[in-house]
Amino acid sequence: MFRPKHHWQPAEHQRHAVAGTLPGGQRNRDGESVEALCQRTVSTAGRTELDWLWPTCPDCLQAAERLNGVPS
């Protein structure tokens, strides 16, 4: 079974990828600063279902694909 080496986190009006996984049901704290795979430090959000509808950060998507060995 494939297990990604990252997790997605709504932050600053985009969905960013963050290295590492979180145990099931856990999430980053609201307002926590995390280093996204796009090399930006972002302040997390994600307390509403609408936050997950934000667009995906294209730089994070490319970095997540590389991290997980997805061919381009």
Side-chain angles (χ1 to χ4, degrees):
M1 180 165 100
F2 173 74
R3 294 187 188 262
K5 298 176 183 175
H6 71 286
H7 63 279
W8 291 99
Q9 176 63 53
E12 300 180 6
H13 301 287
Q14 288 187 311
R15 291 183 318 117
H16 288 275
V18 179
T21 58
L22 293 174
Q26 287 190 349
R27 59 172 115 179
N28 296 97
R29 291 184 312 274
D30 196 24
E32 179 180 357
S33 291
V34 295
E35 181 73 26
L37 293 182
C38 65
Q39 307 287 319
R40 290 177 49 213
T41 300
V42 294
S43 181
T44 64
R47 295 296 177 194
T48 72
E49 291 181 17
L50 294 178
D51 297 337
W52 289 100
L53 298 177
W54 290 343
T56 299
C57 169
D59 294 331
C60 279
L61 180 58
Q62 287 180 341
E65 289 172 345
R66 282 191 307 273
L67 179 66
N68 290 287
V70 175
S72 52

